[in-house]
Amino acid sequence: MNPTLRSVPLTSDAGTAWSVRAIEGPVPDRNSALLGAPVDATVPGEVHTDLLGAGVIPDPFDGDNESKLAWIGRTSWSYRTVFDWEPDEHAVQELVAEGLDTAATITLNGTELGRTWNQHRSYRFAVTGLLVAERNELVIEFAAPVETANRLSEASGLWPHTNLHPYNAIRKMASNFGWDWGPDVATVGIWRPIRIESWTGVRVDSVRPLAGLDRDRGVLDTRVALAWSEGFGDDATVTVEVGGTTTQMTVSAGTAEVGVTSTIDAVDRWWPRGYGDQSLYDVAVSVAAGARTDSWQGRVGFRTITMNVAPDDDGGPFILSVNDRPVYVRGANWIPDDAFVTRLNRETYERSIRDAIDANMNLLRVWGGGIYESDDFYDVCDELGVLVWQDFLFACAAYSEEEPLHSEVEAEARQAVTRLSQHASLALWNGNNENIWGYVEWGWRAPLGGRTWGEGYYFDLLPGIVAELDPRTPYSAGSPFSYDRYIHPNDERNGTMHIWDVWNQVDYSTYRKYKPRFVSEFGFQGPPAWSTLTSVVHDEPLDPYGEQMLVHQKAFEGNLKLERGLGEHLPKWKDIEDWHWTTQLNQARAVAYGIEHFRSLFPLNTGAIVWQLNDNWPVVSWAAVDGHGVRKPLWHALKRVYADRLLTVQPREDGPVVAAHNDTDVAWSTEVTVARRSTATGGEVLASETFALEVPARSAVLNSLPASVATPGDPATEYVEVRGADGSTAYWYFVEDTALRLEADAYTVKVADSSRGGYDVTVTATALAKDLALFPDRLEASARVDSCLITLNAGESHTFHVTSCGNTPKEPLGVPVLRSVNDLLN
């Protein structure tokens, strides 16, 4: 039998040579040659990375280059290739472009094939009869993205949006135009694969293998969309193979879609991490019509996912359940992992997703100002058991529901749901980020003047598409949302909540004033690692308010908020070294404070999704892992407070309590000792009591802190340690650090080569040593440490292990490489 499809890739890795040149726009004199002399381009790629690779521009992330290179986004660009074509017997030839960013005109051998203006969908252009033997010329001209967005916005009317550019007028990655954590590097390019497909008879256009459960049996409902060449009249046999089961169905010529149901006995279920194994099954779909065949391969996991938002006595919950088991969500928001997304690959995705797993997370929310991620992202989440909350791509703006935007939204949504519906990790489709909240509270109604703003997308179009194409996956209209049109969308008692008065207006102690059912956004800023920051910020002297520092701080009054956010928690810095350590520490403290409070409310609270896991360039931001992949102190704090079992001390009306949340399938039973101790040398135990801690599986308990321990003699020199016999710990302080008396000389340090490679730094406390942190990247940019924010009682030791390619540092090791709260107060 003959394959139906012949695919000829036109990508750089397949040997196709591309070039790019500027065709119109404010190209600086020093780059004026771009208007006449093209440079080599990479496909898939982006114009910024092409220009950078050709040595035409400096690194857009360095210094103030972002503003110096703003002309790129106001310039139109032409990509061109010449390729050979060998004619064949097939009846149909098509140019398939999986991703064009964004407003493009496509021309083959002088004939215009079409125009696009949606980065988030693929396109298929008929080229039958246009291809010639041997030399063919393909030209894709991209209109300047910033000017295109402005033109479309002016033509259709101004719809409210955040940030500088009207990103809501064009279907392009919103954050590519800049965000409060990301650079304004509006780019163009052929950002996903492009190829010529030649075929005859019948072709598999798309496959939606929807895997579910019927008791212990797996049920796979495979929806196969077929395309037929004109005049082809043979019937076709569609075959689906999964889990050792083969199911066939015969369809007549011209059938647009067929559904094939397969049943697998005693299937192994797919579970998120922490609940079971991630069992995945290969799926093979083939179609045969006469002598023609085509095929598709994929992978599924058999599971059910439900969303419970039914009203209860406390308002309305938000509970995600997998295979009928509620999941307490310990998650993070995910932004595109690089401002230039074509530099991402399977390896980079897996590294970043492992950042989430190593911090004990079980869910990533793909935020609506980014992209529908590559298949690599979802494949890794399937394999590692990370649930995916997928936003549709609408964020912080009002959107027109008129043409031509409406048709583009529908087309991209249908493609996205079709492509992603196979993934076991896909837990939720979400209509938008903050747009319902924005309409209610951000002053949009007056400028809109009764015009559409996106409501029809979130409540009609998108849920209808999900119900049609992926009915096994829950849909939420937005985040935040209260699941009732008559309740404020950001009400703490109902559904999902975003908490942004903390950071923007009030102290992080405000977290405890809320009793949220579920928090899908909250966070606090801090700078990246010192090595990351100083690789791009070159102010002399280095200062929080330096010119280049503020280029790498995108939030409104961001560094002022870092300063104000210290409150009474930590002293104001004396120099830039202290600024860096203090603000990183305060970021970690603030977020951990919120999560410990939320978890102490279980089962009222059913999860939290911190903003944010990752950065897309070197910047001061809310991220736990910076733009160079360095795990900030916040990441280490998340690892602790997102642990399967959490011990924390929380205030209640009747006094402090020991709150224990056991998010495992095994009962937690241990003996807990609570001790009031002195901060001074020797760490005298002033009072101590012991009790038995018993926490059933997937449960939480509260135990009152004994009065003898909870009542200090001198609040400034005493603290409470809670220690389980299993090694779990928690601390409680009677005053903020600015009023706490800590010894200046509270620990000794020893450095030694490690048998594991790198070196070990062992710290031994002689008095309370609070929040010890080691920053080996100050000695060698590539060095990494395994732990951070370690508190030691007098007599205790901790060893930091450092992976490093450099030499083991010599003792003594102190500020600024080894930091603690002690050195900030002394």
Side-chain angles (χ1 to χ4, degrees), residues 528-742:
W530 184 265
S531 60
T532 302
L533 186 68
T534 56
S535 72
V536 294
V537 174
H538 314 292
D539 297 321
E540 291 290 347
L542 203 61
D543 184 85
Y545 300 97
E547 180 181 359
Q548 291 188 16
M549 182 75 82
L550 293 179
V551 170
H552 293 81
Q553 166 57 278
K554 294 299 184 182
F556 175 69
E557 296 184 342
N559 282 1
L560 278 173
K561 291 175 182 177
L562 285 177
E563 182 174 347
R564 186 192 68 210
L566 297 178
E568 297 181 356
H569 307 296
L570 291 166
K572 187 178 177 181
W573 56 86
K574 301 183 292 292
D575 53 30
I576 191 66
E577 308 279 359
D578 278 4
W579 172 83
H580 185 264
W581 162 229
T582 303
T583 52
Q584 277 204 333
L585 174 61
N586 205 49
Q587 177 190 32
R589 290 262 193 92
V591 174
Y593 185 102
I595 293 174
E596 290 187 69
H597 167 63
F598 303 150
R599 291 189 68 174
S600 77
L601 300 175
F602 180 85
L604 180 75
N605 172 268
T606 55
I609 308 177
V610 67
W611 186 272
Q612 63 211 64
L613 176 67
N614 55 330
D615 269 329
N616 70 349
W617 74 313
V619 66
V620 182
S621 84
W622 295 267
V625 182
D626 74 20
H628 285 179
V630 183
R631 295 170 171 179
K632 294 158 65 171
L634 169 60
W635 182 91
H636 293 274
L638 288 171
K639 180 180 180 180
R640 178 181 65 82
V641 297
Y642 272 161
D644 292 346
R645 291 173 171 173
L646 175 69
L647 206 60
T648 177
V649 181
Q650 295 291 312
R652 292 294 189 265
E653 290 183 1
D654 297 332
V657 297
V658 177
H661 183 200
N662 176 21
D663 192 25
T664 75
D665 288 331
V666 180
W668 184 10
S669 179
T670 189
E671 185 177 75
V672 171
T673 299
V674 291
R676 180 162 50 87
R677 305 184 63 148
S678 168
T679 64
T681 300
E684 179 185 0
V685 176
L686 306 172
S688 178
E689 295 196 29
T690 300
F691 64 88
L693 180 69
E694 301 288 342
V695 192
R698 309 291 177 186
S699 298
V701 299
L702 303 178
N703 289 274
S704 296
L705 198 64
S708 63
V709 175
T711 306
D714 179 4
T717 62
E718 298 175 19
Y719 69 102
V720 174
E721 178 203 26
V722 180
R723 184 177 295 274
D726 59 357
S728 54
T729 56
Y731 297 92
W732 175 258
Y733 299 91
F734 301 104
V735 295
E736 296 286 354
D737 282 355
T738 49
L740 189 65
R741 291 213 298 272
L742 295 177

Side-chain angles (χ1 to χ4, degrees), residues 61-83:
F61 294 171
D62 191 54
D64 191 25
N65 289 339
E66 176 193 356
S67 63
K68 296 174 183 176
L69 299 176
W71 60 271
I72 298 174
R74 301 198 304 273
T75 297
S76 297
W77 299 89
S78 177
Y79 278 78
R80 177 181 179 272
T81 188
V82 174
F83 64 95

Side-chain angles (χ1 to χ4, degrees), residues 677-683 719-721 723 729-731 733 740 742-743 746-750 761-773 787-800 818-822:
R677 305 184 63 148
S678 168
T679 64
T681 300
Y719 69 102
V720 174
E721 178 203 26
R723 184 177 295 274
T729 56
Y731 297 92
Y733 299 91
L740 189 65
L742 295 177
E743 300 289 338
Y747 44 86
T748 59
V749 183
K750 289 187 177 181
V761 177
T762 300
V763 181
T764 301
T766 56
L768 176 65
K770 191 174 183 184
D771 287 324
L772 287 156
S787 51
C788 188
L789 303 182
I790 304 299
T791 292
L792 298 177
N793 301 313
E796 292 182 331
S797 296
H798 176 79
T799 297
F800 297 93
L818 179 63
R819 300 302 308 250
S820 67
V821 175
N822 298 60

Side-chain angles (χ1 to χ4, degrees), residues 2 45 48 111 119 121 173 177 224 278 376 582 599 726:
N2 298 320
H48 286 73
T111 298
Q119 179 184 8
R121 56 173 291 199
M173 179 170 65
F177 291 104
V224 185
Q278 289 76 54
D376 289 331
T582 303
R599 291 189 68 174
D726 59 357

Side-chain angles (χ1 to χ4, degrees), residues 378-613:
Y378 303 98
D379 286 342
V380 173
C381 288
D382 287 347
E383 294 162 14
L384 300 182
V386 177
L387 295 170
V388 176
W389 165 322
Q390 177 67 58
D391 279 13
F392 286 100
L393 302 184
F394 303 91
C396 305
Y399 290 81
S400 165
E401 296 173 38
E402 281 67 54
E403 295 297 347
L405 198 66
H406 189 281
S407 292
E408 287 295 333
V409 167
E410 180 173 4
E412 79 172 58
R414 287 185 171 279
Q415 286 190 3
V417 175
T418 295
R419 178 170 71 91
L420 302 184
S421 59
Q422 68 171 293
H423 290 284
S425 57
L426 182 63
L428 183 75
W429 289 102
N430 180 60
N432 71 86
N433 176 72
E434 298 188 342
N435 296 349
I436 301 171
W437 186 14
Y439 180 76
V440 169
E441 201 169 79
W442 295 358
W444 291 359
R445 285 177 289 175
L448 282 170
R451 292 178 296 161
T452 60
W453 55 275
E455 180 180 25
Y457 297 145
Y458 316 136
F459 292 101
D460 297 313
L461 178 66
L462 297 176
I465 290 174
V466 172
E468 174 191 350
L469 301 180
D470 188 17
R472 67 173 196 156
T473 303
Y475 173 84
S476 169
S479 181
F481 192 56
S482 293
Y483 302 96
D484 190 307
R485 301 283 281 274
Y486 298 98
I487 301 176
H488 191 286
N490 202 38
D491 178 49
E492 66 176 312
R493 296 163 296 179
N494 293 280
T496 59
M497 183 184 192
H498 293 191
I499 301 179
W500 283 119
D501 55 352
V502 174
W503 169 252
N504 282 315
Q505 291 102 25
V506 297
D507 185 79
Y508 68 71
S509 60
T510 300
Y511 281 132
R512 285 184 179 154
K513 295 181 181 179
Y514 291 108
K515 292 183 178 180
R517 306 305 301 268
F518 188 97
V519 188
S520 47
E521 272 192 29
F522 70 106
F524 209 88
Q525 270 204 356
W530 184 265
S531 60
T532 302
L533 186 68
T534 56
S535 72
V536 294
V537 174
H538 314 292
D539 297 321
E540 291 290 347
L542 203 61
D543 184 85
Y545 300 97
E547 180 181 359
Q548 291 188 16
M549 182 75 82
L550 293 179
V551 170
H552 293 81
Q553 166 57 278
K554 294 299 184 182
F556 175 69
E557 296 184 342
N559 282 1
L560 278 173
K561 291 175 182 177
L562 285 177
E563 182 174 347
R564 186 192 68 210
L566 297 178
E568 297 181 356
H569 307 296
L570 291 166
K572 187 178 177 181
W573 56 86
K574 301 183 292 292
D575 53 30
I576 191 66
E577 308 279 359
D578 278 4
W579 172 83
H580 185 264
W581 162 229
T582 303
T583 52
Q584 277 204 333
L585 174 61
N586 205 49
Q587 177 190 32
R589 290 262 193 92
V591 174
Y593 185 102
I595 293 174
E596 290 187 69
H597 167 63
F598 303 150
R599 291 189 68 174
S600 77
L601 300 175
F602 180 85
L604 180 75
N605 172 268
T606 55
I609 308 177
V610 67
W611 186 272
Q612 63 211 64
L613 176 67

